[in-house]
């Protein structure tokens, strides 16, 4: 007689076999095939038809322009960083390890081996940390700390890294941590596993040059209505109140005081390039701003790492074109993140 | 956090509305909608322990925002962590005047908002 247990085992085997058949690794969201994803990204001009990482195929379901920009960002980070490839792979591995992201660890390991390293060396990294040369150790420690508790990083710590690596490379090191903290969160939320024949090499893509529009036209232009899947008619209840003592422990007035301290801070931990210096080295593919950029964050990242920053901002621009999230709502979410991380800039 | 408040001003909120919104955000969220609370709870959980995000967290977003909307919430919440790592690493001094008004595509600053957000 067939028991319930037999039925469950059969169903599990069926799911596994189906995944293996389609070549699609596990994910908690729908994932397109390579062909379907490339069809959605018709505007991509080079290296079309290559095998795409699962997270890109998942993103392309709803955000194809953003997904294409993410392919470029991934390429820039993995192939065009100014850091030595072995060090970059180690930094990325340490960040993925701290975030407990197995997918990103596998990719960092792949990049490390591709750059000439031994897989067993990167696997042993946590145990070997103290024995590494100082220049490597302080960079790895900085990235690990940025992942785990960025607000605890000290002026002296960054000064040490700058002294050894210089400002440009220090910014590149921090941008590995920044990308890792974005990508790992995305990967973990999507619940993706490494592709059956992955990890894959990064893909070089290019896009048509943006056509410059008159600002007035840009402002008035309405976004095309997207076909979106509707929310549930009766969504599940959400707790009426946030029950989180750590959250409410810091009063609104205390937060204002921290903000004031951030304004009062006299200088950043590295020199911030001025607009003229930044403008002179903006990558050619980047749309040239009409007005000078005055955001210190942007001056710093563009000034020291123009290619990585243009790739990141390209993703952000694509997302803004495709997403119809209300700006007040998404900034409110960002506020929740900055409060959670105690980031007052 | 300072930049978020500046972006809220660029999104059309007056200074007092920005203050009111952030005061509510710093509280227990009881006066936000269920969908907003779901997104904020996701962002908070993902910020603290990204590996703890489970099927149920993603399903909850899908129930409130639809599958596409949930994607957008997840991408945006993840994106915030790129920005904060750079800001935290270099401890950039917060600009006194809102620099987002001079960004491409941003409409002109209304007269009533032409004062410094933070003094």
């Amino acid at each position: 007689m067939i028991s319930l247990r037999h039925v469950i085992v059969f169903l599990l085997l069926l799911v596994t076999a189906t995944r293996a058949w389609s070549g699609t690794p596990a994910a908690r969201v729908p994932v397109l095939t390579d062909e379907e994803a490339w069809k959605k990204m018709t505007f991509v001009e080079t290296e079309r038809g290559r095998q795409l990482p699962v997270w890109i195929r998942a993103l392309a379901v709803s955000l194809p322009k953003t997904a294409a920009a993410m392919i470029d960002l991934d390429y820039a980070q993995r192939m065009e960083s100014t850091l030595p490839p072995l060090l970059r792979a180690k930094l990325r591995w340490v960040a993925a390890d701290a975030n407990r992201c197995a997918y990103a660890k596998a990719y960092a390991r792949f990049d490390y081996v591709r750059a000439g390293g031994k897989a067993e060396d990167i696997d042993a990294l946590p145990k070997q940390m103290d024995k590494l040369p100082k220049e490597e150790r302080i960079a790895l420690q900085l990235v690990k700390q940025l992942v785990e508790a960025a607000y605890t990083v000290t002026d002296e710590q960054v000064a040490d890294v700058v002294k050894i690596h210089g400002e440009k490379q220090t910014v590149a090191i921090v941008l590995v941590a920044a990308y890792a903290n974005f990508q790992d969160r995305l990967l973990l939320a999507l619940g993706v596993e490494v592709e059956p024949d992955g990890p894959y090499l990064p893909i070089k893509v290019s896009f048509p040059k943006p056509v410059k529009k008159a600002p007035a036209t840009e402002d008035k232009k309405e976004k095309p209505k997207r076909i979106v899947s509707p929310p549930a008619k009766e969504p599940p209840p959400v707790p009426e109140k946030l029950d989180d003592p750590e959250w409410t422990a810091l009063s609104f007035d205390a937060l204002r005081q921290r903000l004031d301290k951030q304004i009062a801070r006299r200088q950043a931990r590295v020199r911030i390039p001025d607009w003229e210096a930044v403008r002179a080295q903006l990558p050619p593919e980047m749309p040239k701003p009409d007005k000078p950029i005055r955001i210190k964050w942007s001056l710093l990242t563009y000034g020291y790492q123009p290619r990585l920053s243009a790739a990141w901002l390209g993703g952000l621009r694509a997302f803004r074109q495709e997403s119809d999230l209300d700006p007040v709502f998404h900034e409110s979410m960002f506020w929740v993140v900055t409060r959670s991380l105690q980031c007052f800039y | 956090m300072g930049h978020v408040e500046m972006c809220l001003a660029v999104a059309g909120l007056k200074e007092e509305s920005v203050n009111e919104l952030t005061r509510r955000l710093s509280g227990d969220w009881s006066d936000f909608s269920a969908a907003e609370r779901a997104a904020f709870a996701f962002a908070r959980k993902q910020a603290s322990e990204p590996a703890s995000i489970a099927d149920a967290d993603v399903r909850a977003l899908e129930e409130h925002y639809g599958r596409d909307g949930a994607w957008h919430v997840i991408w945006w919440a993840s994106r915030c962590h790129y920005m904060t790592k750079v800001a935290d690493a270099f401890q950039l001094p917060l600009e006194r005047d809102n620099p987002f008004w001079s960004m491409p595509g941003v409409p002109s600053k209304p007269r009533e908002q032409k004062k410094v957000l933070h003094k």
Side-chain angles (χ1 to χ4, degrees):
Chain A
M1 193 170 157
I2 298 171
S3 68
L4 181 62
R5 202 172 146 200
H6 283 105
V7 173
I8 291 170
V9 169
F10 173 74
L11 287 174
L12 283 173
L13 285 171
L14 188 67
V15 168
T16 311
T18 309
R19 274 177 182 159
W21 176 259
S22 64
T24 302
R28 59 171 64 106
V29 292
V31 175
L32 301 176
T33 63
D34 286 322
E35 197 184 345
E36 289 166 339
W38 281 117
K39 262 188 196 164
K40 284 204 155 211
M41 300 187 286
T42 47
F43 42 86
V44 174
E45 289 182 339
T46 48
E47 295 206 8
R48 295 186 58 80
R50 290 263 308 272
Q51 280 183 303
L52 291 161
V54 60
W55 65 285
I56 297 293
R57 286 185 279 134
L59 265 184
V61 172
S62 172
L63 296 165
K65 283 183 184 168
T66 310
M70 295 295 98
I71 300 175
D72 183 49
L73 175 62
D74 196 57
Y75 186 88
Q77 282 274 343
R78 292 170 66 197
M79 300 293 283
E80 297 180 320
S81 169
T82 54
L83 296 170
L86 285 172
L87 175 62
R88 199 215 76 90
K90 278 185 181 175
L91 295 167
R92 184 66 188 89
W93 191 94
V94 162
D97 188 51
N99 276 328
R100 294 193 285 140
C101 182
Y103 182 99
K105 267 173 87 172
Y107 266 77
R109 189 179 195 262
F110 174 72
D111 286 346
Y112 185 74
V113 174
R114 203 160 54 84
K118 288 182 185 163
E120 56 268 31
D121 289 347
I122 202 162
D123 291 339
L125 209 46
K127 287 180 190 164
Q128 298 297 320
M129 198 80 121
D130 294 342
K131 295 171 196 156
L132 294 171
K134 186 182 177 190
E135 64 265 28
E136 214 169 279
R137 194 176 67 244
I138 59 171
L140 291 167
Q141 277 169 346
L142 175 65
V143 165
K144 189 170 190 292
Q145 202 170 331
L146 281 171
V147 172
E148 291 172 345
Y151 64 93
T152 64
V153 170
T154 63
D155 291 354
E156 293 73 29
Q157 219 179 327
V158 176
D160 267 359
V161 178
V162 171
K163 199 172 168 188
I164 291 178
H165 291 276
E167 290 178 320
K168 182 183 173 77
Q169 295 296 64
T170 303
V171 174
I173 290 166
V174 169
L175 290 183
V176 174
Y179 178 54
N181 275 282
F182 157 72
Q183 193 193 19
D184 290 355
R185 278 178 173 79
L186 196 59
L187 296 168
L188 290 163
L190 303 180
V192 292
E193 289 176 7
V194 177
E195 305 78 10
D197 52 353
Y200 299 146
L201 289 167
I203 303 170
K204 172 83 180 154
V205 289
S206 62
F207 308 107
K209 270 201 155 186
V211 182
K212 196 159 175 86
K213 293 172 189 137
T217 325
E218 207 165 306
D219 289 346
K220 282 176 194 164
K221 193 181 156 193
E222 275 190 26
K223 280 187 185 178
K225 290 272 176 211
R226 291 183 308 112
I227 301 165
V228 294
S229 52
K233 281 183 182 156
E234 285 181 34
V238 180
E240 292 287 333
K241 281 184 176 186
L242 175 69
D243 182 18
D244 185 342
E246 194 278 328
W247 183 265
T248 41
L250 208 50
S251 71
F252 181 72
D253 291 338
L255 292 171
R256 309 304 320 165
Q257 283 171 12
R258 302 272 191 104
L259 266 179
D260 289 340
K261 269 176 82 179
Q262 199 72 37
I263 298 172
R265 197 180 158 96
R266 290 182 59 205
Q267 58 184 37
R269 287 170 175 160
V270 292
R271 187 181 47 85
I272 299 174
D274 60 33
W275 166 237
E276 289 309 316
V278 170
R279 187 169 60 176
Q281 54 172 351
L282 287 177
E285 70 274 14
M286 190 192 153
K288 297 284 173 288
D290 301 326
K291 299 177 229 171
I293 293 175
R294 294 190 296 114
I295 303 165
K296 287 173 186 159
W297 190 102
S298 307
L299 290 171
L300 178 109
T301 55
Y302 273 127
Y304 290 108
Q305 291 293 335
R307 168 66 179 126
L308 296 183
S309 306
W312 169 250
L313 269 298
L316 202 53
R317 261 198 311 277
F319 179 78
R320 287 203 163 119
Q321 282 172 21
E322 291 185 306
S323 169
D324 39 24
L325 286 184
D326 171 64
V328 172
F329 166 65
H330 68 60
E331 291 301 338
S332 299
M333 247 199 313
F334 195 5
W335 194 94
V336 169
V337 173
T338 58
R339 160 66 186 87
S340 299
L341 302 175
Q342 300 185 43
C343 175
F344 294 96
Y345 172 59
Chain B
M1 187 178 282
H3 271 196
V4 175
E5 298 189 6
M6 292 174 182
C7 289
L8 285 168
V10 170
L13 297 194
K14 291 181 182 170
E15 188 174 341
E16 56 271 29
S17 306
V18 172
N19 280 332
E20 192 218 327
L21 174 63
T22 52
R23 188 181 287 279
R24 288 163 60 213
L25 284 166
S26 70
D28 65 9
W29 303 345
S30 54
D31 55 355
F32 286 98
S33 70
E36 286 167 328
R37 292 199 306 276
F40 298 160
F42 177 88
R44 170 111 173 106
K45 183 174 180 182
Q46 193 200 33
S48 313
E49 281 189 69
S52 71
I53 296 295
D55 288 357
D57 299 306
V58 176
R59 293 289 93 83
L61 289 179
E62 286 179 353
E63 299 271 338
H64 284 282
Y65 294 94
R67 185 168 279 166
D68 297 284
W71 268 107
H72 299 194
V73 168
I74 292 169
W75 194 92
W76 181 264
S78 305
R79 162 265 178 207
C80 298
H81 293 269
Y82 188 105
M83 315 305 282
T84 56
K85 293 306 162 200
V86 176
D88 276 331
F90 296 114
Q91 285 299 311
L92 305 168
L94 189 55
E95 297 86 353
R96 287 177 185 274
D97 293 312
N98 186 341
F100 291 92
W101 285 114
S102 56
M103 290 298 287
V106 171
S108 301
K109 192 180 191 179
R111 278 194 176 280
E112 62 269 26
Q113 289 189 339
K114 284 195 175 172
K115 58 180 179 175
V116 178
L117 186 63
H118 303 286
K119 285 185 177 167

